[in-house]
Amino acid sequence: MKAIAKAQGGSVINRDNAKPDATVTVCCTARLHLGFFDLEGGAGRRFGSIGLLLDQPATRLTARRANETCVSGAEQDRVARYLASMRAHLGLSGHYAVDIGQAMPSHAGLGSGTQLALGVSAALRRLEGLPDDPRGDAQRLERGARSGIGIGLFSQGGLVVDGGRGKRAEPPPLLARMAVPEAWRVLLVLDRDRAGLSGRQERSAFDALAPMDPAVSGAICRLVLMQALPALAEQDLAGFGSAITAIQNHAGDYFAPSQGGRFTSPLVGDAMRVLAEAGATGIGQSSWGPTGFAFAANDSEANRLALNLQQRGMTKRLDLLVCRVLNQGAVVSMA
C-alpha cells in the first residue's frame, strides 16, 4: 500500500521511496543586489531590481527527521521560526533536527535572510517528497517584500531582473534570467565592524527617503535595459561594468541621507575608489551594505586588483574575497 498523506492546501506527500533516516543538505550562497530601478512608483510599480549569485560566502544546513524538533548552529532563532512556519503551512506533525553548519554574514547586503529561509523550506520539502515552491515559501516566510532577486537566484543562479512590487501582495515577478561568463570575477570587500540596515530600521529608512526623481528612475531603467543586459549578452564586461557603476552612483546618491554617503562604510568606500583607480569596473555596494563590490575580467586581473588593496594595507581592517558568479541555484541533496 502506498504511504501517502495530504498536506495543508492539498499537496500530496509521497513517502514510497523516503528513507526514515535520510538527511538533506542545502548549500546556498550570497547574492549581489546591483540596484533598484524606481523608488517613486509613478508607473504603478515600485522597486524593481537586478542582481546576481556568487559562489561565496555560503550558508550550509542539514535537516533530518527526529524524535523532537531542535535547531543547532548559527541563526538558531531565525531558523526555528522558519521551521515552525513551514511545518504549520504544510500540516506536518513530525519533528526535525536542523543544523546550520555554516552561515554567511547577516546584515551585510548579501541576502542571507532570504537564502536561509528558502534553504530551510527546500530541505523540509525534499525530506517529505513535496514539490519546491520558493516563491510561495518566500511570501509565507515574509521574504521578498521589496526585491524578488533573492528568490530567483536561489532557484536559478546567474543574473536576474525583477519587475518590482505592484498591487498584489506577493513577491515581485521575475522578468529575465541570463548566464554570466564563467571567467568574470567579483571582488567583495566586507567591513566586519559594520552592518547594513535591516528590519524596523530599514523600513524607517525607506519611509524617510524623499520620492525618487522620475528622471533618475528613467536613467536607471535605460541603463539596465539598453546597456547592462545587452553588454552581458555580448560578454562585454566594460559595457556591463560601466552601466552597473552608473546605476550604483544613482542609487548611492539617493540612499546617502540614510547611510551617510554612497557607501555605508567609509573604509569600503575608500577601497572601492582604489579599485576603480586600478582599473576595476562595476563598482558599487550591495543593498544597504556595508559590502562593496567590483568586477574583473578574469582570475589574474582579480588577483592583481586584490594585491593592490593588500599592498596599501587596506585588508588589515577589511575582509576581501575573490568570487565567481554561479549560473546555478542552491544545491539540495539527500543521502
Side-chain angles (χ1 to χ4, degrees), residues 48-95:
S49 51
I50 179 173
L52 53 78
L53 192 67
L54 302 175
D55 67 340
Q56 58 176 319
T59 290
R60 183 180 296 273
L61 65 90
T62 59
R64 59 180 175 81
R65 297 183 184 88
N67 293 327
E68 59 180 7
T69 294
C70 61
V71 177
S72 58
E75 300 279 5
Q76 291 183 25
D77 291 344
R78 183 183 278 187
V79 171
R81 292 197 303 272
Y82 294 153
L83 184 59
S85 294
M86 289 306 303
R87 288 179 67 209
H89 168 70
L90 296 173
L92 300 173
S93 59
H95 293 282

mmCIF file of all heavy atoms in Angstrom, residues 48-95:
data_model
loop_
_atom_site.group_PDB
_atom_site.id
_atom_site.type_symbol
_atom_site.label_atom_id
_atom_site.label_comp_id
_atom_site.label_asym_id
_atom_site.label_seq_id
_atom_site.Cartn_x
_atom_site.Cartn_y
_atom_site.Cartn_z
ATOM 1 N N GLY A 48 11.726 47.162 -8.183
ATOM 2 C CA GLY A 48 12.359 46.587 -9.365
ATOM 3 C C GLY A 48 13.857 46.506 -9.123
ATOM 4 O O GLY A 48 14.462 47.460 -8.634
ATOM 5 N N SER A 49 14.477 45.383 -9.439
ATOM 6 C CA SER A 49 15.888 45.243 -9.099
ATOM 7 C C SER A 49 16.613 44.259 -9.993
ATOM 8 O O SER A 49 16.008 43.464 -10.713
ATOM 9 C CB SER A 49 16.034 44.821 -7.630
ATOM 10 O OG SER A 49 15.227 43.697 -7.335
ATOM 11 N N ILE A 50 17.947 44.330 -9.933
ATOM 12 C CA ILE A 50 18.832 43.471 -10.702
ATOM 13 C C ILE A 50 19.888 42.923 -9.760
ATOM 14 O O ILE A 50 20.347 43.615 -8.853
ATOM 15 C CB ILE A 50 19.476 44.256 -11.872
ATOM 16 C CG1 ILE A 50 20.428 43.363 -12.688
ATOM 17 C CG2 ILE A 50 20.187 45.514 -11.391
ATOM 18 C CD1 ILE A 50 20.946 44.040 -13.948
ATOM 19 N N GLY A 51 20.237 41.649 -9.924
ATOM 20 C CA GLY A 51 21.239 41.057 -9.045
ATOM 21 C C GLY A 51 21.775 39.762 -9.606
ATOM 22 O O GLY A 51 21.270 39.229 -10.599
ATOM 23 N N LEU A 52 22.823 39.248 -8.985
ATOM 24 C CA LEU A 52 23.429 38.003 -9.442
ATOM 25 C C LEU A 52 23.913 37.178 -8.255
ATOM 26 O O LEU A 52 24.036 37.666 -7.135
ATOM 27 C CB LEU A 52 24.564 38.267 -10.433
ATOM 28 C CG LEU A 52 25.683 39.231 -10.061
ATOM 29 C CD1 LEU A 52 26.695 38.603 -9.131
ATOM 30 C CD2 LEU A 52 26.387 39.735 -11.318
ATOM 31 N N LEU A 53 24.190 35.883 -8.516
ATOM 32 C CA LEU A 53 24.554 34.942 -7.465
ATOM 33 C C LEU A 53 26.051 34.672 -7.485
ATOM 34 O O LEU A 53 26.643 34.464 -8.550
ATOM 35 C CB LEU A 53 23.801 33.625 -7.660
ATOM 36 C CG LEU A 53 23.846 32.642 -6.484
ATOM 37 C CD1 LEU A 53 23.076 33.206 -5.287
ATOM 38 C CD2 LEU A 53 23.266 31.297 -6.891
ATOM 39 N N LEU A 54 26.662 34.668 -6.297
ATOM 40 C CA LEU A 54 28.084 34.399 -6.140
ATOM 41 C C LEU A 54 28.310 33.000 -5.564
ATOM 42 O O LEU A 54 27.387 32.379 -5.039
ATOM 43 C CB LEU A 54 28.713 35.436 -5.213
ATOM 44 C CG LEU A 54 28.577 36.900 -5.637
ATOM 45 C CD1 LEU A 54 29.143 37.811 -4.555
ATOM 46 C CD2 LEU A 54 29.283 37.142 -6.967
ATOM 47 N N ASP A 55 29.556 32.539 -5.624
ATOM 48 C CA ASP A 55 29.869 31.220 -5.070
ATOM 49 C C ASP A 55 30.217 31.270 -3.584
ATOM 50 O O ASP A 55 30.342 30.225 -2.942
ATOM 51 C CB ASP A 55 30.996 30.556 -5.857
ATOM 52 C CG ASP A 55 32.340 31.268 -5.701
ATOM 53 O OD1 ASP A 55 32.351 32.457 -5.315
ATOM 54 O OD2 ASP A 55 33.385 30.641 -5.979
ATOM 55 N N GLN A 56 30.377 32.466 -3.036
ATOM 56 C CA GLN A 56 30.680 32.646 -1.618
ATOM 57 C C GLN A 56 30.340 34.074 -1.207
ATOM 58 O O GLN A 56 30.203 34.926 -2.079
ATOM 59 C CB GLN A 56 32.167 32.350 -1.352
ATOM 60 C CG GLN A 56 33.116 33.228 -2.167
ATOM 61 C CD GLN A 56 34.572 32.995 -1.828
ATOM 62 O OE1 GLN A 56 34.959 32.833 -0.674
ATOM 63 N NE2 GLN A 56 35.409 32.957 -2.854
ATOM 64 N N PRO A 57 30.159 34.318 0.098
ATOM 65 C CA PRO A 57 30.071 33.401 1.230
ATOM 66 C C PRO A 57 28.855 32.474 1.100
ATOM 67 O O PRO A 57 27.934 32.758 0.340
ATOM 68 C CB PRO A 57 29.924 34.342 2.423
ATOM 69 C CG PRO A 57 30.375 35.671 1.968
ATOM 70 C CD PRO A 57 30.021 35.726 0.515
ATOM 71 N N ALA A 58 28.863 31.393 1.866
ATOM 72 C CA ALA A 58 27.828 30.375 1.732
ATOM 73 C C ALA A 58 27.162 30.077 3.067
ATOM 74 O O ALA A 58 27.742 30.282 4.135
ATOM 75 C CB ALA A 58 28.428 29.091 1.159
ATOM 76 N N THR A 59 25.936 29.584 2.963
ATOM 77 C CA THR A 59 25.220 29.007 4.100
ATOM 78 C C THR A 59 24.981 27.535 3.791
ATOM 79 O O THR A 59 24.513 27.198 2.701
ATOM 80 C CB THR A 59 23.878 29.722 4.338
ATOM 81 O OG1 THR A 59 24.125 31.047 4.828
ATOM 82 C CG2 THR A 59 23.016 28.971 5.340
ATOM 83 N N ARG A 60 25.341 26.686 4.738
ATOM 84 C CA ARG A 60 25.154 25.238 4.562
ATOM 85 C C ARG A 60 24.364 24.704 5.753
ATOM 86 O O ARG A 60 24.734 24.949 6.904
ATOM 87 C CB ARG A 60 26.497 24.527 4.451
ATOM 88 C CG ARG A 60 26.395 23.020 4.181
ATOM 89 C CD ARG A 60 27.780 22.402 4.093
ATOM 90 N NE ARG A 60 28.514 22.928 2.966
ATOM 91 C CZ ARG A 60 28.457 22.431 1.734
ATOM 92 N NH1 ARG A 60 27.672 21.390 1.482
ATOM 93 N NH2 ARG A 60 29.151 22.963 0.762
ATOM 94 N N LEU A 61 23.284 23.987 5.463
ATOM 95 C CA LEU A 61 22.470 23.421 6.527
ATOM 96 C C LEU A 61 22.117 21.977 6.212
ATOM 97 O O LEU A 61 22.089 21.561 5.049
ATOM 98 C CB LEU A 61 21.209 24.251 6.750
ATOM 99 C CG LEU A 61 20.167 24.320 5.623
ATOM 100 C CD1 LEU A 61 19.133 23.198 5.768
ATOM 101 C CD2 LEU A 61 19.460 25.665 5.625
ATOM 102 N N THR A 62 21.848 21.221 7.260
ATOM 103 C CA THR A 62 21.365 19.859 7.112
ATOM 104 C C THR A 62 20.079 19.706 7.908
ATOM 105 O O THR A 62 19.883 20.368 8.934
ATOM 106 C CB THR A 62 22.395 18.829 7.613
ATOM 107 O OG1 THR A 62 22.690 19.075 8.993
ATOM 108 C CG2 THR A 62 23.672 18.905 6.798
ATOM 109 N N ALA A 63 19.209 18.831 7.427
ATOM 110 C CA ALA A 63 17.938 18.576 8.097
ATOM 111 C C ALA A 63 17.626 17.089 8.032
ATOM 112 O O ALA A 63 17.904 16.427 7.025
ATOM 113 C CB ALA A 63 16.819 19.381 7.451
ATOM 114 N N ARG A 64 17.053 16.570 9.106
ATOM 115 C CA ARG A 64 16.646 15.160 9.161
ATOM 116 C C ARG A 64 15.442 15.034 10.085
ATOM 117 O O ARG A 64 15.156 15.924 10.879
ATOM 118 C CB ARG A 64 17.794 14.289 9.657
ATOM 119 C CG ARG A 64 18.308 14.670 11.039
ATOM 120 C CD ARG A 64 19.446 13.775 11.509
ATOM 121 N NE ARG A 64 19.987 14.231 12.777
ATOM 122 C CZ ARG A 64 19.450 13.976 13.965
ATOM 123 N NH1 ARG A 64 18.322 13.241 14.046
ATOM 124 N NH2 ARG A 64 20.002 14.417 15.085
ATOM 125 N N ARG A 65 14.738 13.920 9.988
ATOM 126 C CA ARG A 65 13.659 13.644 10.911
ATOM 127 C C ARG A 65 14.245 13.325 12.284
ATOM 128 O O ARG A 65 15.353 12.799 12.389
ATOM 129 C CB ARG A 65 12.804 12.479 10.418
ATOM 130 C CG ARG A 65 12.105 12.777 9.094
ATOM 131 C CD ARG A 65 11.210 11.624 8.674
ATOM 132 N NE ARG A 65 10.633 11.889 7.366
ATOM 133 C CZ ARG A 65 11.213 11.558 6.215
ATOM 134 N NH1 ARG A 65 12.381 10.946 6.220
ATOM 135 N NH2 ARG A 65 10.632 11.840 5.077
ATOM 136 N N ALA A 66 13.493 13.648 13.332
ATOM 137 C CA ALA A 66 13.988 13.435 14.693
ATOM 138 C C ALA A 66 12.828 13.163 15.646
ATOM 139 O O ALA A 66 11.656 13.330 15.281
ATOM 140 C CB ALA A 66 14.772 14.665 15.155
ATOM 141 N N ASN A 67 13.151 12.736 16.838
ATOM 142 C CA ASN A 67 12.117 12.476 17.851
ATOM 143 C C ASN A 67 11.542 13.764 18.423
ATOM 144 O O ASN A 67 10.421 13.795 18.927
ATOM 145 C CB ASN A 67 12.690 11.616 18.977
ATOM 146 C CG ASN A 67 13.027 10.215 18.508
ATOM 147 O OD1 ASN A 67 12.354 9.658 17.637
ATOM 148 N ND2 ASN A 67 14.090 9.643 19.078
ATOM 149 N N GLU A 68 12.338 14.817 18.392
ATOM 150 C CA GLU A 68 11.870 16.127 18.811
ATOM 151 C C GLU A 68 12.549 17.180 17.950
ATOM 152 O O GLU A 68 13.663 16.982 17.471
ATOM 153 C CB GLU A 68 12.146 16.382 20.288
ATOM 154 C CG GLU A 68 13.601 16.311 20.685
ATOM 155 C CD GLU A 68 13.800 16.563 22.166
ATOM 156 O OE1 GLU A 68 12.788 16.659 22.896
ATOM 157 O OE2 GLU A 68 14.958 16.681 22.584
ATOM 158 N N THR A 69 11.869 18.285 17.749
ATOM 159 C CA THR A 69 12.410 19.338 16.892
ATOM 160 C C THR A 69 13.504 20.106 17.623
ATOM 161 O O THR A 69 13.318 20.536 18.766
ATOM 162 C CB THR A 69 11.295 20.302 16.452
ATOM 163 O OG1 THR A 69 10.380 19.574 15.609
ATOM 164 C CG2 THR A 69 11.866 21.479 15.677
ATOM 165 N N CYS A 70 14.644 20.247 16.956
ATOM 166 C CA CYS A 70 15.746 21.005 17.543
ATOM 167 C C CYS A 70 16.536 21.687 16.437
ATOM 168 O O CYS A 70 16.590 21.214 15.293
ATOM 169 C CB CYS A 70 16.654 20.103 18.377
ATOM 170 S SG CYS A 70 17.426 18.774 17.454
ATOM 171 N N VAL A 71 17.114 22.817 16.761
ATOM 172 C CA VAL A 71 17.909 23.604 15.821
ATOM 173 C C VAL A 71 19.260 23.871 16.462
ATOM 174 O O VAL A 71 19.336 24.264 17.636
ATOM 175 C CB VAL A 71 17.217 24.944 15.474
ATOM 176 C CG1 VAL A 71 18.097 25.779 14.552
ATOM 177 C CG2 VAL A 71 15.861 24.691 14.841
ATOM 178 N N SER A 72 20.327 23.671 15.723
ATOM 179 C CA SER A 72 21.669 23.905 16.242
ATOM 180 C C SER A 72 22.478 24.706 15.236
ATOM 181 O O SER A 72 22.117 24.812 14.061
ATOM 182 C CB SER A 72 22.375 22.579 16.547
ATOM 183 O OG SER A 72 22.449 21.774 15.387
ATOM 184 N N GLY A 73 23.580 25.279 15.714
ATOM 185 C CA GLY A 73 24.439 26.071 14.851
ATOM 186 C C GLY A 73 24.047 27.533 14.852
ATOM 187 O O GLY A 73 23.378 28.029 15.774
ATOM 188 N N ALA A 74 24.436 28.234 13.805
ATOM 189 C CA ALA A 74 24.191 29.671 13.696
ATOM 190 C C ALA A 74 22.726 29.970 13.400
ATOM 191 O O ALA A 74 21.976 29.104 12.941
ATOM 192 C CB ALA A 74 25.075 30.257 12.590
ATOM 193 N N GLU A 75 22.310 31.203 13.690
ATOM 194 C CA GLU A 75 20.979 31.706 13.340
ATOM 195 C C GLU A 75 19.849 30.835 13.892
ATOM 196 O O GLU A 75 18.816 30.622 13.238
ATOM 197 C CB GLU A 75 20.843 31.821 11.808
ATOM 198 C CG GLU A 75 21.845 32.749 11.146
ATOM 199 C CD GLU A 75 21.438 34.214 11.237
ATOM 200 O OE1 GLU A 75 20.422 34.520 11.889
ATOM 201 O OE2 GLU A 75 22.145 35.050 10.645
ATOM 202 N N GLN A 76 19.997 30.338 15.118
ATOM 203 C CA GLN A 76 19.032 29.372 15.654
ATOM 204 C C GLN A 76 17.625 29.938 15.779
ATOM 205 O O GLN A 76 16.650 29.265 15.421
ATOM 206 C CB GLN A 76 19.510 28.877 17.019
ATOM 207 C CG GLN A 76 20.756 28.006 16.954
ATOM 208 C CD GLN A 76 21.161 27.470 18.310
ATOM 209 O OE1 GLN A 76 20.333 27.331 19.205
ATOM 210 N NE2 GLN A 76 22.438 27.172 18.482
ATOM 211 N N ASP A 77 17.488 31.156 16.271
ATOM 212 C CA ASP A 77 16.153 31.725 16.472
ATOM 213 C C ASP A 77 15.434 31.906 15.138
ATOM 214 O O ASP A 77 14.244 31.570 15.005
ATOM 215 C CB ASP A 77 16.246 33.072 17.191
ATOM 216 C CG ASP A 77 16.689 32.928 18.640
ATOM 217 O OD1 ASP A 77 16.630 31.798 19.162
ATOM 218 O OD2 ASP A 77 17.112 33.935 19.235
ATOM 219 N N ARG A 78 16.147 32.427 14.168
ATOM 220 C CA ARG A 78 15.543 32.659 12.852
ATOM 221 C C ARG A 78 15.151 31.336 12.204
ATOM 222 O O ARG A 78 14.050 31.189 11.660
ATOM 223 C CB ARG A 78 16.523 33.430 11.973
ATOM 224 C CG ARG A 78 15.977 33.802 10.610
ATOM 225 C CD ARG A 78 17.024 34.506 9.778
ATOM 226 N NE ARG A 78 17.119 35.927 10.114
ATOM 227 C CZ ARG A 78 17.864 36.798 9.423
ATOM 228 N NH1 ARG A 78 18.593 36.374 8.401
ATOM 229 N NH2 ARG A 78 17.893 38.054 9.762
ATOM 230 N N VAL A 79 16.033 30.349 12.258
ATOM 231 C CA VAL A 79 15.743 29.044 11.664
ATOM 232 C C VAL A 79 14.554 28.386 12.351
ATOM 233 O O VAL A 79 13.692 27.787 11.687
ATOM 234 C CB VAL A 79 16.988 28.140 11.734
ATOM 235 C CG1 VAL A 79 16.640 26.710 11.312
ATOM 236 C CG2 VAL A 79 18.091 28.695 10.840
ATOM 237 N N ALA A 80 14.476 28.496 13.663
ATOM 238 C CA ALA A 80 13.345 27.904 14.393
ATOM 239 C C ALA A 80 12.022 28.519 13.935
ATOM 240 O O ALA A 80 11.011 27.803 13.800
ATOM 241 C CB ALA A 80 13.543 28.099 15.897
ATOM 242 N N ARG A 81 12.004 29.823 13.703
ATOM 243 C CA ARG A 81 10.774 30.468 13.213
ATOM 244 C C ARG A 81 10.412 29.965 11.818
ATOM 245 O O ARG A 81 9.239 29.667 11.536
ATOM 246 C CB ARG A 81 10.943 31.987 13.203
ATOM 247 C CG ARG A 81 11.042 32.621 14.576
ATOM 248 C CD ARG A 81 10.796 34.122 14.501
ATOM 249 N NE ARG A 81 11.721 34.793 13.598
ATOM 250 C CZ ARG A 81 12.908 35.261 13.964
ATOM 251 N NH1 ARG A 81 13.339 35.101 15.208
ATOM 252 N NH2 ARG A 81 13.686 35.899 13.092
ATOM 253 N N TYR A 82 11.405 29.892 10.938
ATOM 254 C CA TYR A 82 11.131 29.410 9.579
ATOM 255 C C TYR A 82 10.616 27.974 9.612
ATOM 256 O O TYR A 82 9.666 27.612 8.890
ATOM 257 C CB TYR A 82 12.401 29.475 8.728
ATOM 258 C CG TYR A 82 12.914 30.870 8.460
ATOM 259 C CD1 TYR A 82 14.275 31.089 8.215
ATOM 260 C CD2 TYR A 82 12.066 31.972 8.437
ATOM 261 C CE1 TYR A 82 14.760 32.366 7.949
ATOM 262 C CE2 TYR A 82 12.536 33.246 8.184
ATOM 263 C CZ TYR A 82 13.894 33.438 7.942
ATOM 264 O OH TYR A 82 14.378 34.700 7.679
ATOM 265 N N LEU A 83 11.228 27.143 10.431
ATOM 266 C CA LEU A 83 10.835 25.741 10.514
ATOM 267 C C LEU A 83 9.407 25.607 11.047
ATOM 268 O O LEU A 83 8.596 24.843 10.502
ATOM 269 C CB LEU A 83 11.821 24.993 11.417
ATOM 270 C CG LEU A 83 11.628 23.492 11.563
ATOM 271 C CD1 LEU A 83 11.703 22.795 10.215
ATOM 272 C CD2 LEU A 83 12.687 22.912 12.511
ATOM 273 N N ALA A 84 9.079 26.361 12.075
ATOM 274 C CA ALA A 84 7.726 26.304 12.641
ATOM 275 C C ALA A 84 6.687 26.766 11.626
ATOM 276 O O ALA A 84 5.612 26.159 11.504
ATOM 277 C CB ALA A 84 7.658 27.162 13.905
ATOM 278 N N SER A 85 7.004 27.826 10.886
ATOM 279 C CA SER A 85 6.059 28.335 9.888
ATOM 280 C C SER A 85 5.814 27.314 8.785
ATOM 281 O O SER A 85 4.670 27.101 8.352
ATOM 282 C CB SER A 85 6.590 29.641 9.288
ATOM 283 O OG SER A 85 6.628 30.673 10.253
ATOM 284 N N MET A 86 6.884 26.660 8.311
ATOM 285 C CA MET A 86 6.720 25.693 7.233
ATOM 286 C C MET A 86 6.003 24.430 7.715
ATOM 287 O O MET A 86 5.188 23.861 6.986
ATOM 288 C CB MET A 86 8.090 25.342 6.639
ATOM 289 C CG MET A 86 8.718 26.468 5.836
ATOM 290 S SD MET A 86 7.626 27.116 4.528
ATOM 291 C CE MET A 86 7.293 25.638 3.579
ATOM 292 N N ARG A 87 6.290 23.982 8.923
ATOM 293 C CA ARG A 87 5.571 22.814 9.455
ATOM 294 C C ARG A 87 4.072 23.114 9.532
ATOM 295 O O ARG A 87 3.243 22.263 9.180
ATOM 296 C CB ARG A 87 6.107 22.446 10.835
ATOM 297 C CG ARG A 87 7.487 21.818 10.840
ATOM 298 C CD ARG A 87 7.937 21.512 12.271
ATOM 299 N NE ARG A 87 7.132 20.466 12.877
ATOM 300 C CZ ARG A 87 6.890 20.365 14.180
ATOM 301 N NH1 ARG A 87 7.359 21.284 15.014
ATOM 302 N NH2 ARG A 87 6.160 19.366 14.646
ATOM 303 N N ALA A 88 3.736 24.321 9.996
ATOM 304 C CA ALA A 88 2.321 24.682 10.102
ATOM 305 C C ALA A 88 1.678 24.767 8.726
ATOM 306 O O ALA A 88 0.559 24.266 8.509
ATOM 307 C CB ALA A 88 2.183 26.008 10.849
ATOM 308 N N HIS A 89 2.351 25.389 7.780
ATOM 309 C CA HIS A 89 1.785 25.538 6.437
ATOM 310 C C HIS A 89 1.580 24.187 5.761
ATOM 311 O O HIS A 89 0.547 23.959 5.111
ATOM 312 C CB HIS A 89 2.693 26.403 5.569
ATOM 313 C CG HIS A 89 2.326 26.349 4.117
ATOM 314 N ND1 HIS A 89 1.170 26.922 3.611
ATOM 315 C CD2 HIS A 89 2.939 25.744 3.068
ATOM 316 C CE1 HIS A 89 1.090 26.680 2.313
ATOM 317 N NE2 HIS A 89 2.142 25.968 1.956
ATOM 318 N N LEU A 90 2.547 23.297 5.910
ATOM 319 C CA LEU A 90 2.476 22.006 5.232
ATOM 320 C C LEU A 90 1.678 20.968 6.023
ATOM 321 O O LEU A 90 1.459 19.855 5.548
ATOM 322 C CB LEU A 90 3.892 21.479 4.970
ATOM 323 C CG LEU A 90 4.743 22.334 4.022
ATOM 324 C CD1 LEU A 90 6.182 21.808 3.983
ATOM 325 C CD2 LEU A 90 4.143 22.347 2.615
ATOM 326 N N GLY A 91 1.249 21.334 7.230
ATOM 327 C CA GLY A 91 0.466 20.411 8.036
ATOM 328 C C GLY A 91 1.260 19.214 8.506
ATOM 329 O O GLY A 91 0.735 18.098 8.599
ATOM 330 N N LEU A 92 2.529 19.404 8.821
ATOM 331 C CA LEU A 92 3.409 18.316 9.225
ATOM 332 C C LEU A 92 3.417 18.178 10.744
ATOM 333 O O LEU A 92 3.635 19.154 11.467
ATOM 334 C CB LEU A 92 4.827 18.570 8.714
ATOM 335 C CG LEU A 92 4.975 18.697 7.194
ATOM 336 C CD1 LEU A 92 6.392 19.111 6.831
ATOM 337 C CD2 LEU A 92 4.598 17.386 6.507
ATOM 338 N N SER A 93 3.206 16.976 11.225
ATOM 339 C CA SER A 93 3.194 16.736 12.667
ATOM 340 C C SER A 93 4.503 16.151 13.167
ATOM 341 O O SER A 93 4.708 16.039 14.379
ATOM 342 C CB SER A 93 2.040 15.799 13.038
ATOM 343 O OG SER A 93 2.179 14.558 12.362
ATOM 344 N N GLY A 94 5.390 15.753 12.242
ATOM 345 C CA GLY A 94 6.656 15.159 12.635
ATOM 346 C C GLY A 94 7.634 16.191 13.172
ATOM 347 O O GLY A 94 7.380 17.404 13.145
ATOM 348 N N HIS A 95 8.760 15.707 13.659
ATOM 349 C CA HIS A 95 9.794 16.585 14.208
ATOM 350 C C HIS A 95 11.056 16.503 13.356
ATOM 351 O O HIS A 95 11.302 15.491 12.680
ATOM 352 C CB HIS A 95 10.108 16.185 15.655
ATOM 353 C CG HIS A 95 8.973 16.423 16.590
ATOM 354 N ND1 HIS A 95 8.671 17.667 17.081
ATOM 355 C CD2 HIS A 95 8.038 15.559 17.116
ATOM 356 C CE1 HIS A 95 7.617 17.580 17.886
ATOM 357 N NE2 HIS A 95 7.209 16.321 17.910
#
